[in-house]
């Protein structure tokens, strides 16, 4: 067989094996997709390896490829969640570059009527926590919010590492959020990022137990319901998400950030459903767009038939240590020809193993997410050969 038909992959047991690709899948998606859920794809960034003299510090962005991928997502009906964790925010991407990314994405969205860009506002330009006060955290939030609002962006209020360090209890979180939220121009999406995504956020909301933390978060939402459009929680715990979803004020949406259980959470139950703001949508966008189209037409069975096969891939990409999932997202974008290299800011491509990437290839093929078998098979062959797999 040729390289196109058959590739050599490395199993999790360290033993190479031959794999025959299942073939391409073309997803039938309307020219103007319409969904009955509000859905955002948290989009990755593409670096320019030719301009990174110091990969751990340089903010060398390939703007053409980065923005083209956002146009790809918007064309499929997705809103873009910009400058978030998927874009290596705080793990290679600094605030100054994040703001430029936000400004450019908002500009791109003008070509797609109805397209939404919601952008992360945080406190990540703070670096020295030794003498930090709550006022400093509030000021930092307000600085980023003002910059995003000035370019016409919608706000996602991100969790603050600085606040997690200096807060002495739930009251400090309530004070900061109450102050910041009362000054935003338009209702925001809160983002509660669990410590599996960012270990520095352990104990967020001033509580170590999720149920207790949830009560603090709900108190903030109830205090400021006119300033909050929704909340995205990324806890990878579907039962906690459903529990919280049922306690939200009627005007506040739940956006699932659960990359392990998204099909059933978006489908919902008799008591409600979740909207979505997901990193995995970056990787599975064509299949997700097809599935969401079916859901909007009332075809729940077809929605699940299309989306359920993407779960093994998602759970593998987001496997512990979860914060390195970005590497899998970018790897799949490279396999699919959306960028011409597999390099990341901070050298994060080295965060996962050869066998991990081989399994991404296999699972993506099984889910019909390798759009061009010639390109994908050639690239996995080059990748494995470069890593010593004959």
């Amino acid at each position: 067989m040729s390289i196109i038909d058959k590739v050599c992959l490395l199993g999790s047991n360290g033993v190479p094996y031959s794999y025959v690709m299942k073939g391409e899948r073309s997803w039938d998606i309307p020219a103007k997709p319409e969904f009955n859920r509000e859905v955002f794809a948290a989009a990755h960034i593409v670096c320019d390896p030719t301009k990174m003299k110091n990969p751990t510090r340089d903010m060398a962005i390939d703007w053409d490829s980065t923005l083209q991928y956002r146009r790809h997502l918007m064309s499929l009906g997705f809103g873009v969640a910009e400058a978030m964790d998927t874009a290596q925010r705080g793990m290679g991407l600094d605030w100054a570059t994040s703001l430029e990314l936000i400004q450019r994405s908002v500009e791109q969205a003008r070509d797609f009527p109805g397209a939404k860009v919601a952008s992360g506002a945080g406190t990540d330009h703070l670096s020295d926590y030794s003498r930090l006060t709550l006022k400093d955290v509030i000021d930092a939030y307000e600085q980023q919010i003002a910059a995003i609002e000035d370019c016409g962006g919608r706000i996602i209020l991100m969790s603050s590492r600085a606040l997690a360090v200096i807060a002495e209890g739930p009251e400090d979180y309530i004070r900061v959020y109450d102050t910041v939220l009362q000054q935003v121009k338009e209702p925001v999406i809160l983002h509660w990022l669990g410590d599996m995504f960012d270990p520095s956020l352990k104990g967020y909301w001033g509580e170590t137990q999720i149920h207790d933390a949830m009560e603090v978060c709900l108190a903030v939402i109830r205090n400021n319901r006119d300033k909050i459009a929704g909340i995205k929680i990324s806890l990878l715990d579907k039962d906690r998400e459903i529990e919280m979803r049922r306690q939200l004020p009627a005007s506040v949406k739940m956006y699932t950030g659960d990359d392990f259980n998204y099909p059933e959470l978006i489908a919902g139950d008799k008591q409600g459903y979740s909207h979505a703001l997901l990193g995995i949508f970056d990787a599975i966008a064509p299949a997700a767009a097809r599935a969401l189209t079916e859901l909007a037409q009332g075809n729940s069975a077809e929605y699940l038939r299309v989306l359920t096969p993407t779960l093994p891939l998602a759970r593998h990409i987001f496997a512990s240590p979860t914060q390195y999932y970005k590497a899998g997202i970018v790897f799949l974008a490279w396999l699919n020809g959306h960028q011409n290299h597999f390099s990341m800011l901070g050298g994060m491509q080295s965060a996962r193993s050869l066998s991990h990437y081989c399994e991404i290839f296999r699972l993506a093929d099984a889910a019909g997410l390798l759009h061009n078998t010639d390109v994908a098979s050639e690239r996995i062959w080059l990748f494995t050969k470069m890593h010593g797999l004959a």
Side-chain angles (χ1 to χ4, degrees):
M1 284 185 172
S2 71
I3 182 179
I4 301 305
D5 302 310
K6 187 176 182 180
V7 295
C8 183
L9 303 179
L10 186 69
S12 59
N13 58 0
V15 177
Y17 67 97
S18 294
Y19 178 76
V20 179
M21 295 186 69
K22 298 184 183 302
E24 300 172 10
R25 172 80 182 261
S26 178
W27 297 100
D28 182 17
I29 301 167
K32 294 183 178 180
E34 295 184 5
F35 308 144
N36 61 354
R37 304 288 190 268
E38 189 167 277
V39 290
F40 291 89
H44 75 278
I45 55 170
V46 184
C47 72
D48 185 344
T50 68
K51 296 179 180 178
M52 289 196 298
K53 296 180 180 179
N54 188 323
T56 62
R57 291 202 307 265
D58 292 346
M59 297 291 114
I61 306 297
D62 178 343
W63 288 111
D64 288 343
S65 297
T66 293
L67 297 175
Q68 186 57 44
Y69 201 79
R70 280 140 181 79
R71 296 178 68 85
H72 165 66
L73 293 171
M74 291 176 195
S75 73
L76 294 173
F78 293 97
V80 170
E82 192 53 274
M84 302 293 290
D85 190 60
T86 308
Q88 293 184 248
R89 183 74 178 269
M91 294 182 74
L93 187 70
D94 62 13
W95 162 238
T97 314
S98 296
L99 179 57
E100 182 176 0
L101 178 61
I102 291 165
Q103 292 167 336
R104 288 174 179 252
S105 287
V106 170
E107 182 67 27
Q108 294 297 313
R110 296 192 174 105
D111 292 339
F112 298 86
K116 297 179 179 179
V117 177
S119 305
T123 64
D124 51 318
H125 58 286
L126 299 175
S127 57
D128 183 4
Y129 300 163
S130 60
R131 297 182 181 179
L132 213 59
T133 67
L134 293 180
K135 184 179 184 303
D136 293 326
V137 173
I138 291 168
D139 290 347
Y141 266 130
E142 291 175 348
Q143 178 183 335
Q144 293 200 11
I145 288 169
I148 294 170
E149 289 178 338
D150 283 349
C151 71
R154 180 178 177 181
I155 302 295
I156 301 173
L157 201 62
M158 302 172 68
S159 300
S160 168
R161 291 177 177 174
L163 182 56
V165 169
I166 70 169
E168 296 182 356
E171 297 78 10
D172 286 347
Y173 285 88
I174 292 172
R175 175 186 166 188
V176 168
Y177 276 85
D178 282 357
T179 304
V180 170
L181 285 166
Q182 284 309 307
Q183 299 179 61
V184 298
K185 291 180 179 179
E186 296 181 357
V188 309
I189 299 174
L190 295 184
H191 186 196
W192 178 4
L193 189 66
D195 58 13
M196 68 289 296
F197 287 91
D198 187 344
S200 66
L201 297 176
K202 188 174 180 61
Y204 208 74
W205 303 111
E207 299 286 358
T208 57
Q209 300 299 314
I210 290 181
H211 177 78
D212 297 332
M214 186 184 298
E215 290 302 314
V216 179
C217 184
L218 283 166
V220 168
I221 293 171
R222 291 165 183 150
N223 290 348
N224 302 279
R225 65 185 68 195
D226 60 326
K227 295 290 188 176
I228 299 173
I231 179 169
K232 164 191 163 79
I233 63 171
S234 300
L235 302 177
L236 303 183
D237 186 332
K238 67 176 182 179
D239 294 328
R240 290 300 189 187
E241 177 174 322
I242 293 169
E243 176 187 351
M244 188 172 187
R245 185 173 76 195
R246 292 174 178 171
Q247 297 182 66
L248 291 175
S251 61
V252 178
K253 295 182 175 72
M254 171 61 76
Y255 292 86
T256 186
D258 190 336
D259 301 278
F260 284 1
N261 301 289
Y262 50 92
E264 62 180 292
L265 289 166
I266 295 169
D269 54 35
K270 293 181 179 179
Q271 297 184 56
Y273 54 80
S274 295
H275 300 268
L277 198 164
L278 287 164
I280 194 60
F281 276 174
D282 179 297
I284 67 168
R290 177 67 252 167
L292 289 162
T293 298
E294 295 291 346
L295 184 65
Q297 295 173 353
N299 302 326
S300 298
E302 183 64 10
Y303 157 83
L304 289 172
R305 189 192 69 80
V306 172
L307 207 54
T308 299
T310 68
L311 270 175
L313 173 66
R315 290 172 178 173
H316 180 71
I317 287 176
F318 284 80
S320 180
T322 303
Q323 66 264 33
Y324 298 131
Y325 75 87
K326 298 96 165 164
I329 298 287
V330 175
F331 183 69
L332 189 52
W334 173 64
L335 289 177
N336 275 320
H338 291 291
Q339 53 197 81
N340 60 11
H341 64 84
F342 177 44
S343 297
M344 300 176 67
L345 295 181
M348 190 177 283
Q349 68 274 8
S350 64
R352 296 294 201 183
S353 67
L354 174 59
S355 62
H356 180 88
Y357 290 124
C358 286
E359 186 67 356
I360 286 176
F361 177 88
R362 187 188 69 80
L363 292 172
D365 184 39
L369 290 167
L370 296 178
H371 314 318
N372 185 315
T373 54
D374 289 356
V375 171
S377 61
E378 180 182 13
R379 291 188 172 189
I380 193 66
W381 179 80
L382 289 170
F383 183 76
T384 55
K385 185 177 182 181
M386 181 181 70
H387 285 81
L389 198 62

